[in-house]
Each structure stands twice: as C-alpha cells, then as structure tokens.
Amino acid sequence: MHKLGRAGLLTLGLLAAGPAASAATERAGVQVESIPVTFGVFNTNTSKVPCPSDGMHYDVVGRLTGPRSVLENGPMSSATLYLHGDGVDESLWNYRRVPGYDYATDMARHGMVSVTITRLGYPGSGKPDGNKICLGSEADVTHQIIDRLRRGRYQLDQPDGHRRTTAGMPIQRIALAGHSAAGFIAMAEAYSYKDVEGLIVVASGEFVSPRVPAAVSEQQARCASSEDGYAFIEGSDAEAARDFFHDADPVVVADAVAHRPRDSCGGLFNSPVNVIADAALLSTIRIPVLVVAGEEDAFFPEPELQGKLFSGSLDVVVSRLPDTGHAITLGHSAPVFRSLMVEWLYDHMVQRPIARTSE
C-alpha cells in the first residue's frame, strides 16, 4: 500500500491478506439488515463535465445495508455510497448468487453502513435514452442522492409485503466509491460539488491499457444499430470474462458474465470530456482519497500514477492488489480488498471525523 501526499511517495508496501487491525475487526453477533431504497432524481447535468442529459425525472433504486441496530435506531454517523461500473450492476457490491462475495454484508459485520445503487439505465432504475445520459449527468444524479442521504430524504421499502415505505435517517458523513467507469463519475462528483468526506477510486483512472480504447470503439460500433442507446461493451461472454476476471471461481465468472447488462452509449461516447476535466480539476480535491486496483486489471493498470493526480490532497493512499482483476469484489482476492476497505473506512470515516472543504 502506498501513501501519497504533496511531497510525493511517502511509504511503500503491499497489503497482505490477513485480519484487520483490532479496532476494525468483525464484530461478534452483529445482525445485518439490507433494505431496498429509492431515490427520486433528475437526469440533469450541473457538474463540471459538460455532456448531454434529458432533464427528466427518474427513480434510482438500491439497498441500504448495515448493522440492524444502526439502521433501526441510529445514529447514522457515516456511510459509503457505492457506484458500480459499466458491464456490471449493483450486485458488484452485494453479490449473493454464489456465497462468499457479498461485500456490503461483510462491511456491515464490521459495523459499516453501505448504500449501493443501480445507476440510471440499468435494470430496476429509470432508463433514459442511452444517448441522453453521460458520466457528467451521472455525477449530478450522484450529488442529488448524496443530498438526500444527508437530509434523510429517501424512501426505505419495508419488507412487510404491503408496499409500505418510510423515510430514511440523515447520514452525517459520506464517502463516495466508484468502480471502473463510475470512478470517473465519483471523481467528477467530488470536484464538482465538494460534498463528501472521502473519495474511493476503484479499478479506474486516466492511465488505461490499450484494451480500453478498443472496447470503447467496439461498443460504439454496436451503438450505431441500437434503438434505445444501449449496447454491450464486450461482444461475447468469453470476451467479458477475459476483461473482468483474473483469478476467480469459474462459477462466479460464468454467472457474472451471463448477467452483464447493456451500457449507455452516451456514457463512453462522451468520456473524453471527463479526462479533460479531470486534468484540470482532480488537483482541487482536498479530501482523503483511496485509489485501489488489481495488478492484473485489464483496463486500469496504473493506480500509482492515478494517485499522483490528486496533488491537492494531503491524504492519498494507493493500493495495488496482487492476483486481482477488474471485477475486484468477485475474485479470489476479494477478502483482501474488503480488509483494505474496512481499514481505510474505519480510519477516515468512523474513527476520525472529517470536515468538508467548500470552495
């Protein structure tokens, strides 16, 4: 694990698989609750990444997962909002079709609250025309969700079979995590609105492998014949398996690629604008940042270089996980990733309150 600051590289080392420090170890007897949640949002774009949106109202669905005692009684002192990348869905963060990969539930056993959402355009949430949605508009949507989380203005769907909803509780401190393409959404949200206490960039960044422009080009070619503005990034399940996985259970690989969704055409078509905005604005982010990627990531192989772009933050941690591919929560090294996240979230969101910086 690397720690970066304005002075550059400060400490070096690799995160080894092993138990988390005693302060953040799994808590015995924690009962976990996972509640469906709905956010009403507008597909607008007030972010600093200009790209088109339709301005229409949609619902974004997800889950609020944490210790039952906290979700029922509070206080909701901190939570992390997780955005899935392209080619996957919300199950990246709460995968339950094969035991052992439910990230959000594992975080709850360590006392952490997670908000996982299905991004606009993916099954379950609202679906704009795929050419009228972009990573900048998704940053705006994420900002709206963060505002609702802080104010408690979101709806929890109670599991009593009567379609009853209740208002959520306000959350005091929020970290934002984005995987793959959603890493660009998270970064844009952080520098556009400056409303979160921590930023986590997972398997994402400006320093891409040659596979990225090839995959984008292939998706855009499929977009030319799409009637709704959505198309698969990979042309086959076998191609998706190679792109997303390195060392993983074959059952998980087969299941995940069989459930892969189509992605918006506008998101990747307009993504070069994100790179331009990032070059000018990532240095304005002042909050703590964690950048993490797998050594065998087919798309984003240079987390150390990405970390150096956050030159305005005095607290940047970079971690490269051995034997880990792009689907970082679904490989055999998933426990190592979860251990890293528990430690970072405990240090930055639970143990140490962080004041937001507004500019």
Side-chain angles (χ1 to χ4, degrees), residues 37-103:
V37 61
T38 302
F39 303 92
V41 300
F42 289 90
N43 180 33
T44 51
N45 187 5
T46 62
S47 78
K48 294 184 179 180
V49 180
C51 52
S53 61
D54 65 8
M56 302 295 290
H57 183 271
Y58 299 94
D59 282 343
V60 170
V61 301
R63 301 194 73 86
L64 181 68
T65 305
R68 178 176 298 171
S69 60
V70 174
L71 299 194
E72 291 182 351
N73 304 313
M76 297 279 276
S77 59
S78 65
T80 304
L81 173 60
Y82 293 93
L83 312 177
H84 64 83
D86 287 4
V88 291
D89 56 22
E90 184 198 354
S91 67
L92 180 79
W93 301 112
N94 54 23
Y95 184 84
R96 296 173 179 176
R97 295 189 293 268
V98 178
Y101 298 92
D102 188 344
Y103 171 90

Side-chain angles (χ1 to χ4, degrees), residues 210-224 232-233 268:
R211 177 60 187 141
V212 170
V216 171
S217 177
E218 292 163 9
Q219 190 231 19
Q220 292 299 304
R222 284 186 279 274
C223 285
F232 289 112
I233 292 179
L268 292 183

